[in-house]
């Protein structure tokens, strides 16, 4: 009998949040939600605790989007922490909001009923507010995401690009660039394996 094969990494590169506390935090989060998380997603939170997903995109059915981050618990970045969403925004119509794109649209996970475990997309600015089905499960969603390697453009590259357009960078824009360079340089994307 052949030994079991190792799971293949998906095309998503994730800069995970610190998962040190997630063994205790995940069950507490489930109690707070009054719902059990699908096993694939529970495993993901315990192993990676969400994370930022620079240069990541997906195209599934009628939805084509970037993916900025998947939310986390405990030591997650404040902007992408479940607690920052507030209870009314975490759960909507039996869906757990689990991530977002650059425009504020959401990735959601169905927690119960028909299609439980499925991943959905919610545009933040469309009415009616309809969850669009993406994949039957979380692993299927991850498999459909593709990340390009992270290249952090230097301050010099950014200045040259702006000057090529006939404009000079202001001190304010350079300060914003420096902040972004520091933040992006701290990310260390890695393949996700459930």
């Amino acid at each position: 009998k052949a030994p079991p094969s190792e799971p293949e990494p998906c095309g998503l590169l994730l800069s995970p949040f610190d998962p040190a506390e997630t063994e205790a935090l995940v069950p507490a989060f489930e109690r707070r939600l009054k719902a059990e998380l699908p096993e694939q997603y529970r495993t993901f939170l315990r192993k990676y605790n969400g994370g930022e997903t620079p240069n990541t995109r997906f195209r599934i059915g009628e939805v084509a989007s970037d993916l900025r981050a998947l939310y986390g618990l405990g030591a997650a970045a404040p902007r992408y922490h479940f607690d920052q969403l507030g209870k009314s925004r975490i759960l909507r119509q039996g869906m757990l909001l689990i991530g977002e794109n650059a425009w504020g649209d959401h990735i959601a996970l169905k927690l119960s009923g028909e299609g439980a475990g499925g991943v959905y997309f919610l545009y933040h600015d469309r009415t009616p507010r309809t969850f669009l089905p993406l994949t039957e499960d979380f692993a299927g969603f991850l498999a459909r995401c593709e990340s390009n390697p992270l290249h952090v453009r230097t301050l010099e590259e950014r200045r040259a690009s702006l000057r090529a357009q006939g404009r000079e960078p202001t001190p304010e824009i350079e300060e914003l660039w420096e902040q972004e360079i520091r933040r992006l340089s701290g990310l260390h994307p890695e393949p996700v394996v459930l």
Side-chain angles (χ1 to χ4, degrees), residues 70-113:
L70 293 165
Y71 304 139
L73 302 162
R79 177 185 177 113
Y80 304 120
H81 197 291
F82 278 111
D83 288 346
Q84 290 295 104
L85 294 173
K87 184 162 177 134
S88 66
R89 291 193 58 216
I90 292 175
L91 279 174
R92 290 188 177 175
Q93 302 167 18
M95 300 281 199
L96 174 66
L97 301 182
I98 61 169
E100 66 184 54
N101 68 12
W103 303 103
D105 302 319
H106 290 282
I107 309 304
L109 185 67
K110 188 163 187 189
L111 294 183
S112 61

Side-chain angles (χ1 to χ4, degrees), residues 171-192:
E172 294 81 11
I173 195 72
E174 286 197 0
E175 174 59 30
L176 290 173
W177 286 345
E178 288 173 352
Q179 289 173 16
E180 182 182 58
I181 290 167
R182 282 191 299 274
R183 186 184 71 75
L184 292 175
S185 296
L187 299 180
H188 303 286
E190 61 185 65
V192 174

Side-chain angles (χ1 to χ4, degrees), residues 83-165:
D83 288 346
Q84 290 295 104
L85 294 173
K87 184 162 177 134
S88 66
R89 291 193 58 216
I90 292 175
L91 279 174
R92 290 188 177 175
Q93 302 167 18
M95 300 281 199
L96 174 66
L97 301 182
I98 61 169
E100 66 184 54
N101 68 12
W103 303 103
D105 302 319
H106 290 282
I107 309 304
L109 185 67
K110 188 163 187 189
L111 294 183
S112 61
E114 187 177 336
V119 177
Y120 292 75
F121 190 82
L122 176 66
Y123 286 103
H124 78 283
D125 58 353
R126 292 195 185 168
T127 48
R129 306 237 1 187
T130 305
F131 288 94
L132 303 172
L134 295 176
T135 60
E136 292 181 9
D137 59 26
F138 185 66
F141 173 71
L142 295 178
R144 299 292 299 271
C145 293
E146 286 295 325
S147 299
N148 291 319
L150 180 61
H151 168 70
V152 181
R153 291 182 349 156
T154 66
L155 196 54
E156 293 74 26
E157 289 172 314
R158 294 166 190 238
R159 286 180 183 137
S161 177
L162 197 57
R163 288 180 177 138
Q165 300 171 28

